[in-house]
Structures are given as structure tokens and as C-alpha cells.
Amino acid sequence: MQRDRGVPATAGGAGERKRIGEAMDRSSPSTSWGFSGGHERDRIAAGKQPEVPRSGGGSTAMSKGKLSDGESDTDSEESDLSGSDGEDTSWISWFCSLRGNEFFCEVDDDYIQDDFNLCGLSGQVPYYEYALDLILDVESSHGDMFTEEQNELVESAAEMLYGLIHVRYILTSKGLAAMLDKYKNYDFGRCPRVHCSGQPCLPVGQSDIPRSSNVKIYCPKCEDLYYPRSKYQSNIDGAYFGTTFPHLFLMTYPHLKPQKPSQEYIPRVFGFKLHKP
């Protein structure tokens, strides 16, 4: 829950030296960030906060914390490999920058802090309060009471909660403006249909119920749905964009709605059109 994912070094005791020795033996550039198993239980029993990996959108778990001065050189190398996001990076910015999350825009903190905008979400998301604190980067004292498995559940709940907030935000004026910038940058991809001539698309869900279907892209020109080209984007829940967004977007910005394609593919055999029964 806390953003400082660093592991403080404590002095004294053969048990502590053994703990550090095990960490150095088990650490390597190819391992995932943090420790697990019995070693993690030893850390919790010693009163230390368990490391919480951040994962989402098909991306490998990441750690955003800074390391303490007393850690081993091996752990420092792992931190360098995991990225130097720094304390200035918010959870929302980090989440939206993950590979596969390019369709998401950054929701304003003011919008999330307004309880009216979150009405009804507490009953849909487990660990709601903890997930909300994580999204808003609120320091919490409950992180050291959770097991590693519970911390992972909070991370997953935060991603789900952000998606459900996101689908509401993109229907507001600020949200539509944020998605307009992404639309102009072709962040949602282009229509694969030849006669649409690379028309920019918009994300859409086939259902407003979470976990019903994955996100698709909607072409305003041919008015049809397609799968995103990236397999990472294809795994995003369609309910995080909803069934309303692309159509409200084009109503808000009518000058962006293109003319329907005038060309149509005509199948031929030896130059002759096929007879339709």
C-alpha cells in the first residue's frame, strides 16, 4: 500500500546476517523484484513491510520504491533494472504508462476525490478503501498488516477500480478532451479495412458489465468493430470504456465524423463479377 517499496537495513544478530546472506544468494538480474516464500515470512516476522509488486495490463510486476543505504549491491542492481520512476510519479501515471494500457487516459485526482463520482463502486470492488488509497497515492499504515497475497489482491482491485472510474470520466467534458488528444495521436489504432484508408478508431466495449467482453476498436467511417492489433490491449476489459463513449465522442466533436466510404470491394473471377444468387 505504501509507495516506499524499499527494504530498510537493520543491524545486529546472526539471524539478520543469515537473512542478508540468503537475499544475496537468491538475487540475480533474471529474478523478479522482491522476495517470496519462507524468506518473505521471515521479513514480516521481523516487523518489516513486505514488498508489493505493481502489475497490470499484461506487464511484469514493477517496484517504484527507493532502496535504503544499507542494502546489498545485488539488490541495488535489481532496483536499477526495475526502472527509476522516482517518488514524483503518481500511481495513475505509472498505470497508464504500462504496456497495453495506451487506451487509458489519466483521470484527474479531483474527479476521483469527489464521492459522488464513485457512487456504487464500493460494492463492486473488493478492498475498495485500500484500492482507492493506492490510486490516490495516500500513505497507509495498513500495508504492513497484509500478506503478499493480500497486497496483490489490493493491486488488482486498484486496477479494476480505476477502470470503472475511467469509464465514467471519459464521458465528462474533461475526459472527452483527454481522449480527443489520444485520438489525434492515433493511440487507439487505425481501421484495418482497406477502403477506410487508415481511419483513426475509438475504443469501445460490447457490454457495460465488467468481465463480459474485452475492448474492441470502433471505426467511425465503416461503423464496424475490430480487434486491437496489440495482444496486450486485447486483454483489457471492455467495460472500462463502455458502449456509449465512441458515439458520444462523435456527437461532441461532429467535425471528426468522416463520410462513409464510397468504394466497395467487388469480387471477380477472370475479370467478371460474381453473380449473386
Side-chain angles (χ1 to χ4, degrees), residues 175-245:
L176 287 168
M179 297 297 273
L180 174 61
D181 291 337
K182 299 180 75 67
Y183 176 80
K184 291 180 177 179
N185 292 330
Y186 306 99
D187 289 348
F188 307 128
R190 299 172 182 263
C191 180
R193 189 173 181 270
V194 172
H195 293 307
C196 285
S197 304
Q199 169 66 38
C201 293
L202 293 163
V204 65
Q206 293 178 277
S207 173
D208 293 313
I209 302 175
R211 300 188 179 94
S212 295
S213 62
N214 293 338
V215 69
K216 306 297 187 299
I217 56 174
Y218 169 78
C219 174
K221 197 166 188 176
C222 65
E223 298 181 342
D224 209 346
L225 299 182
Y226 301 93
Y227 290 101
R229 297 189 64 179
S230 170
K231 64 179 181 180
Y232 300 100
Q233 295 167 345
S234 298
N235 293 327
I236 300 174
D237 197 326
Y240 298 163
F241 299 90
T243 58
T244 301
F245 165 69

Side-chain angles (χ1 to χ4, degrees), residues 5-21:
R5 299 293 193 264
V7 182
T10 57
E16 180 64 14
R17 289 192 296 271
K18 179 180 179 182
R19 186 184 69 81
I20 296 176

Side-chain angles (χ1 to χ4, degrees), residues 70-86:
E71 281 196 286
S72 65
D73 294 338
T74 305
D75 292 339
S76 299
E77 292 176 0
E78 286 189 352
S79 177
D80 293 339
L81 290 172
S82 64
S84 55
D85 291 352

Side-chain angles (χ1 to χ4, degrees), residues 50-252:
E51 294 185 348
V52 184
R54 293 194 168 179
S55 59
S59 177
T60 307
M62 300 171 66
S63 174
K64 295 176 62 182
K66 294 183 177 180
L67 296 175
S68 302
D69 295 337
E71 281 196 286
S72 65
D73 294 338
T74 305
D75 292 339
S76 299
E77 292 176 0
E78 286 189 352
S79 177
D80 293 339
L81 290 172
S82 64
S84 55
D85 291 352
E87 289 298 318
D88 293 336
T89 304
S90 67
W91 186 93
I92 294 176
S93 297
W94 168 83
F95 176 76
C96 293
S97 67
L98 291 177
R99 185 178 185 183
N101 287 356
E102 294 85 1
F103 286 3
F104 288 97
C105 69
E106 294 192 18
V107 180
D108 288 343
D109 286 352
D110 293 340
Y111 182 87
I112 301 177
Q113 290 170 359
D114 189 341
D115 292 338
F116 177 78
N117 298 326
L118 310 184
C119 180
L121 296 183
S122 60
Q124 301 183 50
V125 181
Y127 295 94
Y128 173 81
E129 294 294 340
Y130 302 115
L132 185 59
D133 287 346
L134 183 59
I135 291 174
L136 294 174
D137 297 303
V138 176
E139 296 293 337
S140 175
S141 60
H142 299 285
D144 55 352
M145 302 188 329
F146 289 156
T147 64
E148 183 178 355
E149 181 179 359
Q150 287 174 322
N151 278 320
E152 291 177 355
L153 291 175
V154 171
E155 290 281 348
S156 179
E159 295 168 9
M160 179 180 182
L161 177 59
Y162 185 80
L164 296 177
I165 295 173
H166 181 269
V167 69
R168 298 181 178 187
Y169 179 73
I170 60 178
L171 301 182
T172 66
S173 57
K174 285 188 176 180
L176 287 168
M179 297 297 273
L180 174 61
D181 291 337
K182 299 180 75 67
Y183 176 80
K184 291 180 177 179
N185 292 330
Y186 306 99
D187 289 348
F188 307 128
R190 299 172 182 263
C191 180
R193 189 173 181 270
V194 172
H195 293 307
C196 285
S197 304
Q199 169 66 38
C201 293
L202 293 163
V204 65
Q206 293 178 277
S207 173
D208 293 313
I209 302 175
R211 300 188 179 94
S212 295
S213 62
N214 293 338
V215 69
K216 306 297 187 299
I217 56 174
Y218 169 78
C219 174
K221 197 166 188 176
C222 65
E223 298 181 342
D224 209 346
L225 299 182
Y226 301 93
Y227 290 101
R229 297 189 64 179
S230 170
K231 64 179 181 180
Y232 300 100
Q233 295 167 345
S234 298
N235 293 327
I236 300 174
D237 197 326
Y240 298 163
F241 299 90
T243 58
T244 301
F245 165 69
H247 315 296
L248 181 62
F249 180 88
L250 294 172
M251 290 174 62
T252 306

